Amino acid sequence: MYKLLSAVFLIGSSVASLADTIEVKMLNKNDAGDRMVFSQELIHAEVGDVIRFLPTDRNHNAQSVKGALPDGQKSFKGKQNKEVEYTITESGLTAVICAPHQTMGMVALIVVGGDLSNAQEVLGARLRGKGKAKIKALIEEAKANQS
Ligand SMILES: [Cu+2]
């Protein structure tokens, strides 16, 4: 019995040490003075990680966009002023928007496993205004980081 318990404990602790929780704040203004932004805009993660969006300032949400996430990855949609978590199960790119402010550029790009293979799908998804332009720039930045 003791052996069984310690085996379970070892498995549990190794899983816990591999997966990270990455916290992203939803802000009215960041330290650089940019308004209506996520605290991180280019988020590098791995399968198994959780991205936790925090309602640090009011009237924001975080959600994925249809067609702008990897195949097989479950979408997510947080409510305004609520914390929401996105559990990563697939490698690739996910565009995240704040619905009220995406046209002002309140978006983020999650890059999982350094996999940019769905970049064209993300660029073809229904993104709007400054948010669309920023997602495009973040994909370019992610590509540049890799080369
Ligand atoms: Cu917002």
Side-chain angles (χ1 to χ4, degrees):
M1 187 62 188
Y2 174 75
K3 274 186 182 165
L4 178 63
L5 281 176
S6 45
V8 168
F9 176 76
L10 282 173
I11 291 165
S13 57
S14 64
V15 168
S17 63
L18 285 173
D20 284 331
T21 298
I22 300 168
E23 294 196 330
V24 178
K25 295 172 189 162
M26 300 186 271
L27 300 173
N28 291 348
K29 195 171 158 184
N30 65 14
D31 292 340
D34 303 314
R35 288 177 186 279
M36 308 306 172
V37 285
F38 291 105
S39 60
Q40 290 185 65
E41 297 186 320
L42 184 58
I43 302 162
H44 290 281
E46 298 299 329
V47 169
D49 290 351
V50 173
I51 317 291
R52 182 182 294 153
F53 294 90
L54 302 172
T56 307
D57 290 326
R58 286 187 58 78
N59 303 323
H60 302 288
N61 86 321
Q63 65 182 80
S64 54
V65 176
K66 194 179 175 197
L69 69 174
D71 281 345
Q73 172 68 53
K74 194 169 178 291
S75 64
F76 78 107
K77 185 172 184 178
K79 291 190 167 74
Q80 275 189 51
N81 305 316
K82 296 285 183 202
E83 181 178 309
V84 63
E85 289 188 344
Y86 181 49
T87 301
I88 308 287
T89 63
E90 309 295 331
S91 66
L93 300 174
T94 298
V96 178
I97 65 165
C98 166
H101 302 119
Q102 72 150 318
T103 55
M104 298 174 68
M106 187 162 175
V107 297
L109 182 72
I110 304 170
V111 184
V112 178
D115 179 357
L116 306 173
S117 60
N118 63 329
Q120 280 310 314
E121 286 88 334
V122 172
L123 289 169
R126 281 183 61 172
L127 295 157
R128 297 174 186 284
K130 279 190 187 174
K132 190 179 181 79
K134 193 183 277 182
I135 288 291
K136 197 174 174 193
L138 291 169
I139 289 173
E140 291 306 316
E141 191 181 336
K143 279 182 186 166
N145 287 350
Q146 284 196 327
S147 55

